[in-house]
Structures are given as structure tokens and as C-alpha cells.
Amino acid sequence: MNETLEPGLYIVATPIGNLSDLSPRAGQVLAAANLIAVEDSRVTAKLLHHLGIKRPMLPYHDHNADRMRPELIARMATQAVALVSDAGTPLISDPGFKLVRDARAAGVTVTTLPGPCAAIAALTLAGLPTDRFLFLGFLPAKAAARAQAIAEVATVRATLVLYESGPRLGDCLAALAAGLGGREAAVAREISKRFEECVTGTLADLAARYAEAPPKGEIVVVVAPPGAAPAPDAGAIDAALAEALTRLPPAKAAGEVAKATGADRKALYARAMALKGGG
């Protein structure tokens, strides 16, 4: 990579634990950037010291984002601005998406340097389905709002991934168990650090484990998707078809019941004709 970067916004993923996880390209961009927008300058300063880099830093976080965004975008017209979070990939549970959106609207070139992400790393450790997953960030702290948020995703047929703090973990797991039932889950913490741990079990088991022993470190909770709904029995399907036939012709009745039950439409049509004919 050239020592001089083109002006624009560079989204730089930083380590979530082991500093050796920083990619060489990310290190080169941090060394060459005119300015680094940081979540916490104290945290990023440690990383830069490890790399032997000294670069100007400007804070960009939830509390000052609206005020700082115009200044950062103005600088991007002539300078290379790197965006980092305290750990992992910026924009994941961070305010950076507005900076990217407004930078694009201003014609700024946006480049991403992919790397560590706690949510993805936890998925690889959990041993749960990864073909479809939903990232929830942090659930609300208040019990009623948390229960509502869980209810909203209870029927989503995907593995759920969320972040949580140690002191709140027990209550969070208990709420997940109450709202989602006996699903398998995993609690991953301190990923890539010395005391990395991934504990698996049912939500109820994990809630009991951490109720009186809140763990330390960065925590990711991964929850299995809901199990397949039981297939309705033949009697229930016949009853549904009989009711539908009082309102609809056989083809439409079969289609309605197929949509509601997941049963084969052609088989339902044949059964509807048999019922209509008294068979």
C-alpha cells in the first residue's frame, strides 16, 4: 500500500481481544490516515502504541455524533479519515452508519477493511445453525421493554445473536428462557483473549448458571432458532378443508389450507374433491 492514502472514509476493523488479529492492511491504513475517528481515545491509543503509530484522533460516539459528523465529512474531502470502534468492526452496534450514509451523500469515497467481529466469532464457536441469523445488538435494560423485544423475534426462524454485559447476563438469559422456551443457546465471552470461554446449554440452564455468578468480559449470547412446528394431523386438516369448502371452491380451499398448514397443495386438492363428493 502507498504511504499516502486517497481522501475518503476508511472503516477499519480492530481486534476484539488478541492484538495480533489486526490485519496488516488495517495497520497500514491506521499508520497513513490523516485522522482517526475513535469511540474512546484511551482505548485506541493503546492499539496505536502497540503498533508504534502516532496519529491525530478525534472522538466520534453516541453522545457527540450529530455534532462531529459534519466536521469529519468536511475533512474527508481532502484527507483520509479512518473510523474505528473500541473493538471489532465499526457500525456493528455503533453509530457509524450515519457517518457512512452522509459521507456517501457528500460524494466521499468509502472503503471498508474487514476484520474481527464478536457476533460472527461467537457464531463460529456456538455450534448452532449459521445459515440464517439475526443480530439484535443489546436488548433493552428494563424488564418490560426487554420482554417485548424478545416477543417480537420469538417466531423468527433464525439463530439469534446479541450482546450483553456481565451484570445483566443472568436477567437477560432468564427473560430469553421465559420468552423463547427451552431452546439451545451459547454464552461466548472474552473471545480471542486468554480466558476465552463458550458455554452451551438450554436457556434455562444458562440462566441458572449465571444468576448468581455474573461473568466478566465482553459477552455474546447465541440462541438457536425455534424448532419445526408439528405437522397438523389428518383429522385437523380434514376439518380445515371442510370448513374452507363451505366458502370456497375446491382449488381455492386447498390453496388456503396449504398456506395455513404447509401441507401439499395437490394432495389437499384431491382430498377436497373426495370430501366434496362425500368420499
Side-chain angles (χ1 to χ4, degrees):
M1 177 177 291
N2 295 330
E3 293 185 0
T4 301
L5 293 175
E6 293 294 323
L9 173 61
Y10 295 79
I11 304 165
V12 182
T14 58
I16 58 177
N18 193 316
L19 295 182
S20 297
D21 290 338
L22 185 78
S23 73
R25 181 177 173 228
Q28 290 169 341
V29 166
L30 292 177
N34 300 106
L35 175 70
I36 304 176
V38 303
E39 187 176 357
D40 186 327
S41 59
R42 296 166 297 181
V43 174
T44 303
K46 294 178 182 179
L47 175 63
L48 297 182
H49 177 74
H50 172 78
L51 297 171
I53 295 172
K54 290 185 178 180
R55 305 307 300 156
M57 292 184 286
L58 204 62
Y60 183 76
H61 47 68
D62 282 324
H63 303 294
N64 74 349
D66 290 342
R67 176 170 53 85
M68 295 303 302
R69 200 154 46 245
E71 178 180 345
L72 287 171
I73 291 173
R75 292 201 184 198
M76 292 171 200
T78 58
Q79 297 181 355
V81 177
L83 173 69
V84 301
S85 63
D86 285 351
T89 301
L91 280 72
I92 306 302
S93 203
D94 285 321
F97 83 90
K98 293 181 181 178
L99 184 63
V100 171
R101 178 194 62 194
D102 290 0
R104 289 198 177 283
V108 170
T109 299
V110 180
T111 303
T112 189
L113 285 76
C117 174
I120 300 299
L123 272 170
T124 68
L125 290 171
L128 296 172
T130 58
D131 56 325
R132 180 182 297 180
F133 60 88
L134 175 63
F135 177 63
L136 302 176
F138 285 88
L139 293 178
K142 294 185 177 180
R146 181 170 54 211
Q148 177 61 35
I150 293 170
E152 290 173 358
V153 298
T155 60
V156 174
R157 305 200 65 79
T159 295
L160 305 177
V161 184
L162 57 113
Y163 292 160
E164 192 49 276
S165 67
R168 293 185 359 178
L169 180 61
D171 288 342
C172 174
L173 289 167
L176 287 167
L180 303 179
R183 296 194 200 178
E184 293 295 313
V187 173
R189 69 181 190 92
E190 296 292 83
I191 297 173
S192 83
K193 299 179 183 178
R194 180 180 178 185
F195 298 106
E196 177 182 300
E197 178 182 62
C198 185
V199 180
T200 60
T202 67
L203 284 169
D205 289 342
L206 292 172
R209 177 188 178 105
Y210 293 110
E212 303 298 332
K216 296 180 179 179
E218 303 295 328
I219 297 165
V220 186
V221 179
V222 185
V223 183
D233 61 34
I237 289 179
D238 275 359
L241 270 175
E243 190 282 325
L245 286 168
T246 65
R247 302 177 284 104
L248 301 168
K252 290 187 176 180
E256 179 179 277
V257 176
K259 185 176 181 180
T261 65
D264 181 75
R265 184 186 183 117
K266 290 184 178 179
L268 287 172
Y269 176 72
R271 183 58 181 154
M273 293 300 294
L275 288 174
K276 192 173 179 66

